[in-house]
Amino acid sequence: MPTKQQEQLSSVHNAIRILQAFSEDNPVMGISELSERLGLAKSTIHRLLYTLNQAGLVDKDSHKYRLGIGMFVIGSVVYRSAEIRVKAFPLLVDLMMCVRRIVRLAIYNSGSAVYLCKLPEDKETRMFSNIGKRVPCHSTSVGKLLLAFQEKDEIQRVLNRPMKAFTDMTITDPGELLEQLKHIREVGYAVTTEESTKGVCSLAIPVYDEFHRVIAALSVTASKSQFLPTQVQEYLRSMRMYSRLITEQLSC
């Protein structure tokens, strides 16, 4: 007998197969056609389509189904992320050459920051996070910056989760982190000092869209000795200029 967890995983897998069955050549299909294509019982198809319809991932028109607006929304997020990376990349190269430090671009996703780009990419910097890697919000400058500009309910959801201490400098107290997020919103940037990795500091600022919504975070990472107050101010000046340039590129 399959366990409940195995049944749930099977249902998820079959739901994905249903979504993937739709294409430009087959944009509209009924239960019988999907059952034949996928080799699943009509009752299973009907149950999964009902769930997908409730989530807005498929639309029902009479006895036929098509992909819903929810899929468009998900696809738009992916497209937007790719667009940000492509348009920002040349400017990130320029920023890296300007500050001579590690430069990253990240977006927010469900309580984590996800890196879209990291420069430079050579043997000397492999100790740092890879592109596509998820990092926790509470111990990284990009994570704190992005979390600070989320809705209150989302911030509280993240604060309610356990926060791992990566070093003795990592903030794991929800109240203390909440105060930091408030300060970040006030000053417009986030700084971490050895909170994720010993000897490493980072600085992050927001990247806005044309409607002044925070859509990404731009960061500079370096050793603690390269993060003196005067250096931080120099990084900030350069980062703010390139953040504005990225916004201009995205609005074109």
Side-chain angles (χ1 to χ4, degrees):
M1 289 287 290
T3 65
K4 185 175 181 181
Q5 184 178 21
Q6 288 173 328
E7 290 177 350
Q8 289 173 336
L9 288 173
S10 177
S11 293
V12 171
H13 176 69
N14 287 331
I16 293 171
R17 291 180 64 203
I18 289 173
L19 294 173
Q20 291 176 332
F22 293 94
S23 65
E24 289 185 12
D25 295 329
N26 297 283
V28 180
M29 287 184 282
I31 290 176
S32 296
E33 186 176 357
L34 284 165
S35 175
E36 184 178 341
R37 280 175 173 271
L38 301 177
L40 297 173
K42 291 182 181 179
S43 58
T44 299
I45 296 288
H46 182 272
R47 175 173 54 82
L48 293 174
L49 282 172
Y50 175 82
T51 301
L52 293 170
N53 178 246
Q54 291 296 302
L57 299 180
V58 298
D59 289 336
K60 184 179 180 181
D61 182 11
S62 185
H63 297 295
K64 298 285 187 176
Y65 293 84
R66 66 174 71 241
L67 294 179
I69 192 67
M71 291 296 294
F72 176 78
V73 172
I74 293 170
S76 296
V77 173
V78 177
Y79 175 80
R80 184 63 166 167
S81 299
E83 181 188 32
I84 293 171
R85 186 182 188 280
V86 169
K87 290 192 173 184
F89 188 81
L91 294 168
L92 296 176
V93 173
D94 289 345
L95 174 60
M96 176 196 68
M97 297 301 293
C98 178
V99 298
R100 300 290 177 178
R101 302 289 179 258
I102 292 172
V103 173
R104 290 192 181 90
L105 185 69
I107 58 171
Y108 183 83
N109 184 265
S110 190
S112 301
V114 180
Y115 291 123
L116 298 182
C117 186
K118 188 205 75 170
L119 294 169
E121 297 176 336
D122 58 30
K123 294 180 180 179
E124 294 180 1
T125 60
R126 284 181 183 171
M127 62 175 282
F128 295 97
S129 307
N130 296 321
I131 296 170
K133 181 178 180 180
R134 284 179 175 271
V135 292
C137 284
H138 70 282
S139 61
T140 57
S141 63
V142 288
K144 289 182 182 181
L145 189 286
L146 291 167
L147 182 60
F149 290 94
Q150 299 303 309
E151 298 291 336
K152 289 183 179 180
D153 289 347
E154 176 64 8
I155 292 174
Q156 194 57 54
R157 186 184 71 82
V158 175
L159 293 178
N160 288 340
R161 303 189 313 191
M163 289 182 278
K164 178 181 176 181
F166 295 93
T167 72
D168 56 1
M169 299 292 286
T170 307
I171 294 175
T172 58
D173 177 72
E176 187 176 354
L177 181 57
L178 187 61
E179 285 300 311
Q180 270 207 2
L181 298 179
K182 180 181 177 182
H183 179 70
I184 290 168
R185 288 192 296 272
E186 291 173 351
V187 299
Y189 63 87
V191 179
T192 56
T193 305
E194 301 184 284
E195 295 176 40
S196 183
T197 305
K198 273 293 187 182
V200 176
C201 301
S202 64
L203 168 69
I205 68 168
V207 175
Y208 299 96
D209 65 10
E210 60 269 37
F211 304 107
H212 206 68
R213 296 175 301 199
V214 176
I215 55 171
L218 180 62
S219 74
V220 166
T221 303
S223 66
K224 188 177 180 180
S225 63
Q226 296 167 328
F227 252 74
L228 299 175
T230 54
Q231 291 172 305
V232 170
Q233 291 304 312
E234 290 176 6
Y235 299 151
L236 274 175
R237 280 193 290 271
S238 297
M239 292 168 71
R240 284 168 174 159
M241 180 179 71
Y242 281 97
S243 175
R244 288 193 295 271
L245 291 174
I246 292 172
T247 298
E248 290 174 6
Q249 282 295 311
L250 292 173
S251 63
C252 293

